[in-house]
Amino acid sequence: MYYPVGWPRMLSLPQESGTDPIRVSANRDRILVALLTQDSILIWYAKPCVPIISHRRSPQSVSELGTNLLVCWRPDSSMIAVATSGGHIIFYNLVVLTDLKSLYEQEDPTNQALRRESAELYFKENVPPLVFSQAFEVPIPGGITDMASIRDDLMIATEDGHILRYLWDGQVNRDYCLDLRRIPFCVDQQVLRAVPLVEEAHVTSLSYSPLLGGFAIVLSDGRAAFLVANTLKFDPNSVQGIWAGGVEDVTCTALNHKYRLIAFGRQNSQGVVFSIDESTGGLEMSHQLILPTKDYPGCPGPVTALRWTPDSTSLALVWAVGGFSIWSTFGTMIMCSLGWDHGATDNISKSPYNIQDMDWSAEGYQMWVVNSTTRQFTGKKDKEFCPFPSETEKEEEKPDFSSHLGDNVLVIPFVKSPLTVNPAMAANDQLYLQGEDRLYINTGDTGVSQKKEALDKIGSIINDMADGTPLPDFNPPPSNHQSSHTKQWTIVSIPHAYISSSWPIRYTACDSTGHWMAVAGRTGLAYYNDHSKKWKLFGNETQEKDFIVTGGVLWWKDFLVIGCFNISANRDEVRLYPREARLENAYCTIEEVDAQVLLLNRLGDRLVVYCANSHISLYQLTLDESNPMLAILSKVQDVDASALSIHPACVVSITLTHLKTEARQRSGEGRDSTDRSISSADDSASLIMNVSGKLVLIQRERGSGDEMLYSPPTVLAGSCEQVWLPATANREKPHLTLALWLYCGAAGMRVWLPLFPREGESSHAFMARRIMLHFPLNNIYPLAILFEDALMLGVENDTQLFPETSSSSPSSLPFCTLQRVSEVYLQQLLRQLIRRNLGQHAWEIASSCSKLPYFQHSLELLLHSVLEEEATSKDPIPDALLPSVVDFIRSFPVYRETVVRCTRKTEVALWPYLFAAVGSPKDLFSDCLEMGELNTASSYLLVLQSLEPASVARQHATQLLDAALDSGHWKLAKELIRFLRAIDPDECEELASPRMSQILPPFSSPVSPPHAEVEDLSLVLGTLVGPRTRSISINQPPKTGSPPDPPIHPTLSRSASEKGPKLKRMSNSSSHNTSRDAGTAEEFFIDVILARHARKLLTAGKMADLGTFQANLEYPLVSWLRREQHRAGQVDDFVWAVKMIHQDFDWPWPGDSGGRSRADQGNALVEDNMRQLYIDTGVPRQHIQMDSGYLSQGGARPVRQSDLSLLSEQTVDAMLRMRDRPLDQRSSRSDDLGSVCGVQSPTLASPPTFPVTPKEADPPPKAKAKLNYMLNLLLEAECLEWATCFAIILQDVMAIIRIVNAARSTSDSDTVVARLHQGFLQLNSFASSSSPGYRTFLASIQPQVDSLASLAMGSGGEEQVGQEMNVYGVSTAIPRSLSRSVSDPGEKVEVDRASLPRARTPSPGRERVDGEEGGDESGCVLM
């Protein structure tokens, strides 16, 4: 609720050679602060922080009366009492001078350049000029230990066991003085068992609360008690003491008025808070304040001071070691300075703070602290234990534990939640904080559900724009998610024109959209528009100063509703200001009320007002039909609620709701009746009041007539700090948006959840309609709840260090920052419902939240929390919750992923307990493969690696690798290859026995494990043991022979001809000698898997996937294709291959003109260039023969890779781009799992159907680069048949020439040439009938086709070619006219190489640049 921010301010006391400050105390208004030193007193003004009075006693007075000890204000701030060490009380008078308007006057210098121009340099606050004078001094017999003010009296505790009562005029009221020895003490208010105090003890600390009706005292022996009386006069004869049980080391005390709590500090660094039991009148412990070890792993010393904030919502606690902490009302620690980052210094021994005393200023925005150099506590040392004794008897040098801040007064700034003073903001899901002069607004959006609605609205706006409609005024929420943590806050400074005269800010309010903020200070109000970034103030400053907001601020539609006190008219009012009009009283609606307004809240159009006379007024808010800028306020009902609370100030909050108890709910019909009641605010709305932490429900029912009456109150919960109710209900998530949420401090969160009956449920089910669930909250203090998003939002402190300028300056302290935090609460609700056998309702809630992005994380938290609790429990759990939770999670698709994520975040020792409930990880792994959840399966693989032998992990990794390759998960496949290579081959050869998976007990046995033999069994079981022929060991497994062979993957069987030599099992001593051979076997094992997948892609014609496979896994595709060129690399149907490439690469079909061919520059130019080409076949130059411009050499030539590696610049660039950026991933599955090597896989029996008349379209981006990349790979691998198909699609003439040249240079050129020639004939026939776009290109390469025909005829005759074609299933006959080319191939002409013109041929894959002409630029020589 309260959070420090920034650096503290250090006050410069206006004294020369002054003594150290010892006490600080603020008056009732907390505007004036008194600082007490040993010989002086100073009065400071809080804002601006300036001194008013500095009074120093004379040395003679100090010597006679003693040094100053304590200071106390009179309630009306007209006098101050100072207690001295000599047992005297000095009374001082304070009088305000009426002659002077302000103590400080600002004057501009004569220099014009230094004159003030900004309004912020002029402060309008009038610092009152006070006249400080010593009135008198009174000796107090017995010495003074503490004092407290009670109305017009001053209660003084003395060392002789008395509590004296003095008037402020110095007279003692002897009739009402108390003697501890005459006061009866007991554990409750039953006087019959009361016993007077026998031991010698006196009061060391004293505190009074009028709402509690008594004094809290701390005795010198460490005991604590509460003094009460029958009357407020505290007649000594009626005073009774009530012991605080269970504590005997109390050091200090503080009282909470609003919540009626009594806090005590203890010697053991803990705090304890008591409340009054209304049935017996005794003190019962409410909660304890125990410092968590994560914030401070040690004892910070006794508690030296306790102070509640002015609004009673937080408690400041100080330890003797120097640190301080802030706690909520019912025991949640909000922050602790001991856990801050102080750099290299030791936080335990050198904490910068050493607070001696403290107090809060106005509205709790400042904490004034007195810091001391010398620490009261430096840690405890056990004299009997000294691990490093000193070698000498000299006393060791004591470490320096002093505080580097010195003896000074610091002012620590704070910000707080608006819920502390304005509980109506609990209905808003916006998170913001308020400071004394600024607002801290969270920059995140309003949650996942609201963001989805915003995106839907953006989509509708875009659709409307397409229709020509104008763009509406819509501002989408920011992109930050509320589920993430952030330190980014929008700080909105309040205008100086308002805050300079209305400091501090008391109330703030934000509307449901988060774009309108209203603030109210000491007088008046102002509001801020987030869209325009502008403030709206009163135009008439007199009207602003004319009223004080006393009962809160809230927004209703376009109106601002306030409860205020009219100073000029001296009456209390409820006002409504329209935000669109000017901020003036002429536009507001005023409704007079009978007493001061304390609380405001609303439900829909119904306004509830709680006043200081304990009356609750209900108003109906309506708009004036004739004037939309005017609101009408009509009273509906007025109820006297004085019987519900001891004092109106004890009412913390009041809320209107449609929630009903069990009896009222059964009168309706479940879900429909509840939704109907939420939709409209009718007269049946109930009241929920928080009275001193006790939550009371007052239901409204219709009586015998038409009058609506309130039923007797029902107590829902105790120790309640905050209450949240959803503003609207969501039919999709009725459980979350119709629940009542309560935060109870250290007791955690409570949810009053509705349970809707199922359809067809019997009326005799006796099922409750609502249930109160409880779950702890340890990591967050909730400030806002997003009901539909299942999130809680809060704030926590963080610190940041800056370079030190001076060790004694406040800048050496950590700089305090604010961080928004969030926590998902869905798993908490689900766990509580499942524990209560309400799994159906838990499933309904989970199903409604299944679309949240963190739903799977919530299930993981649910499983992990139950697993940690049950698996580490030392007590037996007969009704374990884990099986039910597992069955619950199994009903959602994210079950397998949830289990494995929880497993990997849990200790390995708990895995057997988990898998005993969820099943075998092998089965879960197999389920993931069947469902295609490969990433989840990879996580299970890591689990199997820890639980199973290496051979089992390798087997499952192989299965996952196959699935990853088939589905195109290349990144996963690459990681699996690395995983397989990292498996030690020696581990796979070991005994394949599963690792120990039994559930170990949660404790370890101190003795060695027993070895029970037959004799031991007979000793225990006697004659129940049958005869045995041999003795066996019960707990040791029987010895077996040779270990079984590790399981082999069923799909990795190789043919007998390709299996390598069988590896022999060697001894452990020589295992390192075979590590290289085993590594080679593992590499071959992985290569076989990759080769099989590449073969599958090649035979299926998935060339794009094959290229992606090579680019991602860096597979040596060229060498593999070279091996497969006569097996899987052969193409039987060239038309099918071309169609598959078109489909795989999304390559458009050429038009009728063949527009993408390089022949489109003119057939004549192409023929001229081709006549000038010279192709080196690798034979000696003197045997070169010319045949119509083409070589017809049938002999074989040595294959050189450099002959086929001529790549153009464009192609090389494309290959580099392919390496840098993977291709589009495509899925390819094939059931063809034939042999891996040596056996030809069958081609597709039924090729896919393609459009007969394909349409020309633009190619997709980078498709041509991919095609060129594959073409060059195939050319380099000499896979000529597929290369021909790519060259045809790219219409690359040079690639065709290279293919023809390479075909007749291979070792089996006869077969290759014949297959290529037959392929060209198939393509020519297809182009003539179905694809005229390729006709032009095929005509341009007709000489190459003729050359292949002549080669085929010359090498074996027409009959041999025909027979060879029949072998491959081709029925097309070779025409006789294609047996010769342009000239007779038999005519051989010797040509001189030097006489031939050398011209450059365009590089493969490179198109001609416009304007290139001439013989020298038309081609190149292929070497």
Side-chain angles (χ1 to χ4, degrees):
M1 301 291 261
Y2 280 77
Y3 307 92
V5 60
W7 279 308
R9 298 192 301 269
M10 183 180 294
L11 301 186
S12 177
L13 303 183
Q15 291 183 343
E16 294 181 1
S17 64
T19 55
D20 301 336
I22 55 175
R23 293 286 179 179
V24 59
S25 178
N27 68 341
R28 174 169 290 187
D29 296 335
R30 302 188 181 275
I31 300 296
L32 301 177
V33 181
L35 299 178
L36 192 68
T37 66
Q38 294 180 357
D39 62 353
S40 62
I41 182 172
L42 298 94
I43 308 297
W44 282 68
Y45 200 70
K47 185 72 173 184
C49 190
V50 292
I52 299 178
I53 291 171
S54 175
H55 172 78
R56 175 176 291 182
R57 295 168 52 197
S58 63
Q60 181 181 0
S61 174
V62 173
S63 61
E64 292 179 358
L65 305 180
T67 58
N68 297 335
L69 287 180
L70 304 170
V71 61
C72 182
W73 286 85
R74 189 171 180 173
D76 59 358
S77 301
S78 62
M79 296 187 72
I80 293 180
V82 175
T84 64
S85 59
H88 289 74
I89 296 290
I90 305 177
F91 291 89
Y92 295 93
N93 288 327
L94 279 84
V95 180
V96 179
L97 290 179
T98 58
D99 299 339
L100 295 177
K101 183 179 180 181
S102 178
L103 182 63
Y104 288 89
E105 293 184 0
Q106 292 179 301
E107 296 181 356
D108 288 331
T110 57
N111 189 352
Q112 287 284 50
L114 299 179
R115 288 184 177 272
R116 294 169 294 173
E117 297 180 357
S118 174
E120 296 182 359
L121 299 178
Y122 295 85
F123 66 88
K124 301 180 181 180
E125 185 70 27
N126 294 326
V127 180
L130 300 179
V131 176
F132 188 83
S133 61
Q134 178 176 341
F136 46 85
E137 58 89 11
V138 178
I140 305 298
I144 303 172
T145 58
D146 200 2
M147 59 182 178
S149 177
I150 168 175
R151 292 185 298 276
D152 293 333
D153 296 341
L154 184 65
M155 306 294 288
I156 302 173
T158 62
E159 294 180 357
D160 57 0
H162 289 80
I163 301 178
L164 306 179
R165 193 162 183 170
Y166 277 78
L167 303 177
W168 281 97
D169 58 0
Q171 301 295 325
V172 59
N173 193 349
R174 299 186 181 276
D175 295 338
Y176 292 94
C177 293
L178 304 178
D179 186 358
L180 291 182
R181 292 182 293 271
R182 300 180 59 183
I183 298 177
F185 286 86
C186 61
V187 295
D188 51 27
Q189 294 188 14
Q190 298 180 9
V191 185
L192 297 177
R193 295 188 296 177
V195 178
L197 191 64
V198 179
E199 298 84 356
E200 292 292 334
H202 62 273
V203 177
T204 59
S205 181
L206 182 70
S207 182
Y208 172 74
S209 171
L211 299 185
L212 282 167
F215 290 91
I217 61 173
V218 177
L219 301 181
S220 57
D221 57 3
R223 291 182 294 175
F226 186 68
L227 301 182
V228 295
N230 296 331
T231 61
L232 294 179
K233 293 183 179 181
F234 272 84
D235 187 357
N237 297 324
S238 63
V239 175
Q240 180 184 354
I242 304 173
W243 290 115
V247 290
E248 295 183 354
D249 57 349
V250 180
T251 58
C252 55
T253 181
L255 298 181
N256 189 316
H257 309 296
K258 179 176 290 187
Y259 289 89
R260 307 183 74 237
L261 298 175
I262 307 171
F264 296 106
R266 303 179 61 183
Q267 289 281 350
N268 60 357
S269 74
Q270 298 179 6
V272 58
V273 181
F274 288 87
S275 62
I276 298 178
D277 188 355
E278 296 180 358
S279 59
T280 63
L283 297 183
E284 59 178 358
M285 183 181 297
S286 172
H287 55 276
Q288 298 187 52
L289 310 178
I290 302 176
L291 179 64
T293 56
K294 65 179 182 180
D295 294 287
Y296 190 83
C299 178
V303 178
T304 58
L306 292 171
R307 292 292 185 277
W308 290 97
T309 55
D311 50 28
S312 301
T313 57
S314 296
L315 175 66
L317 183 147
V318 176
W319 293 285
V321 78
F324 72 96
S325 59
I326 305 296
W327 302 75
S328 70
T329 306
F330 290 102
T332 298
M333 193 182 75
I334 299 175
M335 58 79 54
C336 178
S337 67
L338 296 177
W340 289 352
D341 181 14
H342 299 96
T345 60
D346 184 7
N347 294 359
I348 299 178
S349 61
K350 294 186 178 181
S351 175
Y353 288 109
N354 184 26
I355 299 175
Q356 301 299 307
D357 194 22
M358 64 177 176
D359 204 354
W360 296 95
S361 70
E363 302 300 327
Y365 292 121
Q366 298 173 353
M367 187 169 70
W368 292 56
V369 300
V370 175
N371 194 81
S372 178
T373 302
T374 306
R375 299 187 186 275
Q376 305 176 17
F377 179 81
T378 57
K380 297 180 181 180
K381 184 176 181 181
D382 191 353
K383 297 181 180 180
E384 298 179 359
F385 176 73
C386 186
F388 302 104
S390 176
E391 297 179 358
T392 61
E393 298 181 357
K394 296 181 180 180
E395 185 178 357
E396 296 182 2
E397 182 180 356
K398 295 183 179 180
D400 182 18
F401 292 110
S402 62
S403 172
H404 64 262
L405 293 178
D407 298 308
N408 290 295
V409 178
L410 303 175
V411 179
I412 305 175
F414 277 79
V415 295
K416 64 180 181 178
S417 169
L419 300 178
T420 57
V421 290
N422 196 11
M425 288 298 99
N428 200 340
D429 56 5
Q430 305 295 331
L431 180 62
Y432 72 97
L433 301 173
Q434 62 185 54
E436 57 181 346
D437 58 355
R438 65 196 61 191
L439 300 175
Y440 289 76
I441 303 176
N442 180 245
T443 56
D445 59 15
T446 55
V448 178
S449 300
Q450 289 84 346
K451 184 176 181 182
K452 182 179 182 300
E453 296 175 0
L455 295 178
D456 295 341
K457 190 171 183 180
I458 293 175
S460 63
I461 291 174
I462 295 175
N463 296 332
D464 294 340
M465 291 177 60
D467 300 336
T469 56
L471 182 66
D473 183 14
F474 171 68
N475 294 322
S479 59
N480 292 346
H481 289 291
Q482 291 281 25
S483 58
S484 61
H485 295 189
T486 179
K487 295 183 179 180
Q488 297 179 355
W489 296 79
T490 301
I491 301 178
V492 180
S493 298
I494 300 173
H496 182 264
Y498 177 75
I499 197 64
S500 60
S501 59
S502 299
W503 182 92
I505 295 300
R506 293 180 175 176
Y507 298 98
T508 62
C510 176
D511 70 338
S512 59
T513 63
H515 298 305
W516 292 88
M517 305 290 299
V519 297
R522 192 170 6 174
T523 59
L525 59 88
Y527 54 87
Y528 172 77
N529 185 359
D530 184 57
H531 290 301
S532 61
K533 309 296 181 185
K534 293 182 179 180
W535 284 88
K536 184 173 290 188
L537 309 177
F538 271 92
N540 189 343
E541 190 173 352
T542 304
Q543 295 183 2
E544 179 182 284
K545 306 294 183 184
D546 202 33
F547 68 94
I548 301 173
V549 177
T550 59
V553 183
L554 59 87
W555 290 94
W556 171 72
K557 295 183 178 179
D558 293 339
F559 291 85
L560 184 63
V561 186
I562 64 170
C564 64
F565 173 71
N566 192 333
I567 299 176
S568 60
N570 193 20
R571 66 182 186 185
D572 295 283
E573 300 171 344
V574 175
R575 295 186 180 184
L576 281 80
Y577 286 91
R579 71 185 183 192
E580 299 299 336
R582 288 183 300 175
L583 197 53
E584 292 182 0
N585 292 341
Y587 297 98
C588 78
T589 302
I590 300 177
E591 178 72 19
E592 184 178 355
V593 293
D594 298 333
Q596 177 183 344
V597 179
L598 298 181
L599 294 171
L600 287 177
N601 211 330
R602 70 174 183 88
L603 176 64
D605 297 335
R606 185 63 55 88
L607 179 69
V608 57
V609 180
Y610 182 75
C611 300
N613 58 357
S614 296
H615 277 240
I616 301 173
S617 301
L618 298 178
Y619 294 89
Q620 184 68 26
L621 300 172
T622 56
L623 292 176
D624 192 347
E625 298 179 357
S626 60
N627 185 7
M629 305 290 289
L630 182 62
I632 301 176
L633 202 63
S634 56
K635 181 180 286 189
V636 177
Q637 192 174 9
D638 188 87
V639 182
D640 185 4
S642 57
L644 296 178
S645 62
I646 295 179
H647 192 275
C650 293
V651 178
V652 180
S653 65
I654 184 169
T655 309
L656 280 173
T657 179
H658 287 285
L659 302 183
K660 306 295 180 182
T661 55
E662 188 75 16
R664 288 288 297 160
Q665 274 192 349
R666 293 191 182 275
S667 62
E669 291 298 332
R671 194 183 316 233
D672 296 335
S673 63
T674 310
D675 290 346
R676 199 182 311 117
S677 62
I678 282 289
S679 60
S680 61
D682 53 11
D683 293 338
S684 63
S686 303
L687 287 173
I688 292 182
M689 299 178 63
N690 186 355
V691 182
S692 298
K694 184 177 296 183
L695 201 66
V696 180
L697 174 65
I698 310 170
Q699 301 178 88
R700 198 178 191 197
E701 300 176 350
R702 193 172 300 276
S704 57
D706 295 337
E707 185 181 1
M708 299 297 296
L709 302 176
Y710 283 99
S711 61
T714 303
V715 179
L716 298 181
S719 303
C720 180
E721 294 184 10
Q722 297 296 332
V723 181
W724 290 274
L725 275 171
T728 57
N730 187 351
R731 290 181 178 272
E732 296 181 357
K733 299 179 180 180
H735 295 83
L736 300 182
T737 57
L738 290 176
L740 176 66
W741 300 78
L742 316 173
Y743 184 66
C744 302
M749 181 70 73
R750 294 180 181 178
V751 184
W752 201 30
L753 196 70
L755 300 179
F756 300 109
R758 289 174 295 207
E759 296 182 1
E761 188 179 53
S762 174
S763 59
H764 301 289
F766 306 110
M767 179 69 70
R769 301 300 177 90
R770 280 191 177 271
I771 185 172
M772 185 70 77
L773 302 180
H774 165 264
F775 55 88
L777 285 181
N778 301 322
N779 302 321
I780 188 175
Y781 185 92
L783 298 180
I785 296 181
L786 306 181
F787 305 100
E788 297 185 19
D789 297 329
L791 276 180
M792 295 180 185
L793 302 183
V795 176
E796 67 179 18
N797 267 114
D798 198 3
T799 55
Q800 184 176 357
L801 281 177
F802 288 89
E804 289 188 14
T805 56
S806 173
S807 60
S808 60
S809 67
S811 61
S812 63
L813 298 174
F815 185 85
C816 295
T817 59
L818 302 173
Q819 181 180 7
R820 182 198 67 195
V821 295
S822 62
E823 183 171 320
V824 182
Y825 61 79
L826 181 61
Q827 73 279 359
Q828 303 278 13
L829 293 181
L830 300 180
R831 178 175 180 177
Q832 297 301 323
L833 290 173
I834 296 174
R835 181 182 295 277
R836 291 164 172 80
N837 293 328
L838 298 174
Q840 177 64 28
H841 299 279
W843 184 86
E844 292 179 1
I845 295 176
S847 299
S848 65
C849 299
S850 59
K851 295 182 180 179
L852 294 176
Y854 37 81
F855 173 70
Q856 189 274 335
H857 179 62
S858 300
L859 296 181
E860 180 185 341
L861 293 176
L862 171 64
L863 180 61
H864 186 270
S865 61
V866 176
L867 173 64
E868 288 280 349
E869 179 180 334
E870 295 187 356
T872 58
S873 175
K874 295 182 179 180
D875 300 326
I877 306 176
D879 53 346
L881 188 62
L882 184 61
S884 301
V885 171
V886 170
D887 292 339
F888 175 79
I889 301 177
R890 190 178 283 116
S891 61
F892 296 96
V894 293
Y895 163 70
R896 289 171 292 274
E897 184 180 3
T898 302
V899 170
V900 74
R901 284 190 178 184
C902 178
T903 303
R904 297 194 61 190
K905 297 176 183 177
T906 309
E907 296 181 4
V908 181
L910 306 182
W911 286 8
Y913 191 91
L914 173 62
F915 287 112
V918 301
S920 171
K922 295 181 181 179
D923 299 337
L924 295 172
F925 177 85
S926 302
D927 295 342
C928 292
L929 289 185
E930 294 178 2
M931 301 300 296
E933 301 171 359
L934 302 186
N935 291 326
T936 306
S938 64
S939 300
Y940 278 107
L941 184 62
L942 299 178
V943 175
L944 289 172
Q945 185 187 20
S946 302
L947 296 178
E948 302 291 341
S951 58
V952 177
R954 184 178 70 174
Q955 176 184 357
H956 288 79
T958 305
Q959 298 177 5
L960 183 57
L961 179 58
D962 290 339
L965 293 175
D966 290 340
S967 57
H969 287 67
W970 307 115
K971 184 177 181 181
L972 176 60
K974 193 172 184 179
E975 292 296 325
L976 287 171
I977 293 173
R978 184 184 61 82
F979 177 82
L980 286 171
R981 288 174 177 167
I983 295 178
D984 189 0
D986 294 337
E987 294 182 2
C988 297
E989 296 295 332
E990 294 177 357
L991 179 64
S993 60
R995 305 183 185 183
M996 182 180 61
S997 61
Q998 59 181 355
I999 302 177
L1000 301 179
F1003 53 87
S1004 58
S1005 176
V1007 297
S1008 59
H1011 298 275
E1013 301 295 341
V1014 174
E1015 293 79 4
D1016 303 322
L1017 294 178
S1018 61
L1019 177 64
V1020 179
L1021 302 179
T1023 58
L1024 295 179
V1025 180
R1028 302 286 180 180
T1029 57
R1030 57 182 178 177
S1031 63
I1032 60 172
S1033 178
I1034 300 300
N1035 62 341
Q1036 293 181 353
K1039 297 183 180 180
T1040 59
S1042 60
D1045 294 333
I1048 302 175
H1049 195 277
T1051 60
L1052 292 181
S1053 60
R1054 300 191 296 268
S1055 61
S1057 60
E1058 292 191 352
K1059 290 184 179 179
K1062 190 173 182 179
L1063 297 177
K1064 296 182 179 180
R1065 177 73 176 175
M1066 303 187 68
S1067 62
N1068 295 332
S1069 60
S1070 61
S1071 61
H1072 62 278
N1073 296 328
T1074 61
S1075 60
R1076 180 174 301 178
D1077 296 337
T1080 304
E1082 291 299 320
E1083 292 292 335
F1084 176 74
F1085 174 77
I1086 298 172
D1087 290 340
V1088 165
I1089 300 175
L1090 298 178
R1092 182 186 58 193
H1093 184 72
R1095 184 185 187 86
K1096 185 189 304 183
L1097 295 177
L1098 184 60
T1099 55
K1102 300 293 185 180
M1103 302 303 291
D1105 289 345
L1106 185 64
T1108 307
F1109 167 77
Q1110 188 273 339
N1112 283 277
L1113 301 183
E1114 300 179 359
Y1115 183 69
L1117 191 59
V1118 174
S1119 60
W1120 180 82
L1121 286 173
R1122 185 175 289 114
R1123 295 194 302 267
E1124 295 287 330
Q1125 59 180 331
H1126 299 305
R1127 291 178 292 190
Q1130 291 182 343
V1131 179
D1132 292 340
D1133 189 348
F1134 279 64
V1135 176
W1136 168 81
V1138 169
K1139 291 181 179 180
M1140 287 296 299
I1141 296 173
H1142 270 285
Q1143 182 187 35
D1144 218 17
F1145 289 88
D1146 295 332
W1147 187 258
W1149 292 84
D1152 295 341
S1153 60
R1156 304 195 183 277
S1157 173
R1158 296 186 180 182
D1160 58 359
Q1161 302 177 11
N1163 292 332
L1165 181 60
V1166 173
E1167 293 181 1
D1168 292 341
N1169 291 337
M1170 288 196 302
R1171 287 194 182 95
Q1172 298 177 17
L1173 291 177
Y1174 173 77
I1175 301 176
D1176 184 12
T1177 60
V1179 298
R1181 293 189 177 183
Q1182 59 269 19
H1183 299 293
I1184 295 178
Q1185 299 173 350
M1186 181 63 65
D1187 182 11
S1188 301
Y1190 299 96
L1191 295 178
S1192 182
Q1193 180 69 26
R1197 69 175 181 90
V1199 179
R1200 294 184 302 168
Q1201 185 173 348
S1202 60
D1203 296 337
L1204 301 175
S1205 301
L1206 183 60
L1207 303 179
S1208 67
E1209 181 178 335
Q1210 179 183 0
T1211 307
V1212 174
D1213 185 49
M1215 294 177 65
L1216 292 177
R1217 287 199 299 268
M1218 296 293 293
R1219 292 280 185 176
D1220 296 339
R1221 192 169 186 176
L1223 297 172
D1224 297 335
Q1225 298 183 1
R1226 302 176 184 275
S1227 176
S1228 172
R1229 289 184 177 269
S1230 175
D1231 295 331
D1232 179 19
L1233 300 177
S1235 83
V1236 178
C1237 303
V1239 180
Q1240 171 67 40
S1241 299
T1243 57
L1244 293 179
S1246 58
T1249 58
F1250 298 93
V1252 179
T1253 308
K1255 299 164 64 174
E1256 184 178 9
D1258 294 332
K1262 301 183 181 179
K1264 188 172 183 179
K1266 298 177 183 179
L1267 289 171
N1268 280 317
Y1269 181 62
M1270 290 302 301
L1271 174 60
N1272 286 279
L1273 282 179
L1274 294 168
L1275 287 174
E1276 186 177 357
E1278 299 181 6
C1279 193
L1280 303 181
E1281 298 180 19
W1282 275 107
T1284 301
C1285 299
F1286 276 91
I1288 292 294
I1289 292 176
L1290 288 171
Q1291 302 184 16
D1292 194 342
V1293 177
M1294 288 302 304
I1296 296 296
I1297 296 174
R1298 294 178 60 184
I1299 292 170
V1300 173
N1301 180 44
R1304 45 188 193 180
S1305 302
T1306 57
S1307 58
D1308 52 348
S1309 59
D1310 298 341
T1311 305
V1312 174
V1313 168
R1315 292 181 62 88
L1316 285 177
H1317 178 252
Q1318 186 60 32
F1320 277 114
L1321 293 181
Q1322 295 174 6
L1323 293 173
N1324 194 11
S1325 176
F1326 170 73
S1328 301
S1329 60
S1330 301
S1331 181
Y1334 280 121
R1335 193 180 305 161
T1336 304
F1337 177 74
L1338 291 175
S1340 65
I1341 63 172
Q1342 189 62 36
Q1344 281 76 13
V1345 179
D1346 297 342
S1347 175
L1348 288 175
S1350 62
L1351 288 174
M1353 293 297 296
S1355 60
E1358 182 179 356
E1359 293 79 12
Q1360 183 179 356
V1361 175
Q1363 293 174 3
E1364 204 163 294
M1365 293 301 112
N1366 291 331
V1367 171
Y1368 292 96
V1370 180
S1371 59
T1372 306
I1374 302 177
R1376 174 72 65 177
S1377 59
L1378 294 181
S1379 60
R1380 289 177 177 267
S1381 184
V1382 178
S1383 61
D1384 188 1
E1387 183 179 357
K1388 301 178 182 179
V1389 181
E1390 297 290 338
V1391 181
D1392 186 9
R1393 288 288 302 271
S1395 62
L1396 292 175
R1398 299 179 60 89
R1400 291 186 300 169
T1401 304
S1403 300
R1406 180 181 179 184
E1407 296 182 358
R1408 183 187 302 274
V1409 182
D1410 294 341
E1412 287 185 357
E1413 297 180 357
D1416 294 340
E1417 299 297 326
S1418 61
C1420 64
V1421 178
L1422 297 181
M1423 301 300 294

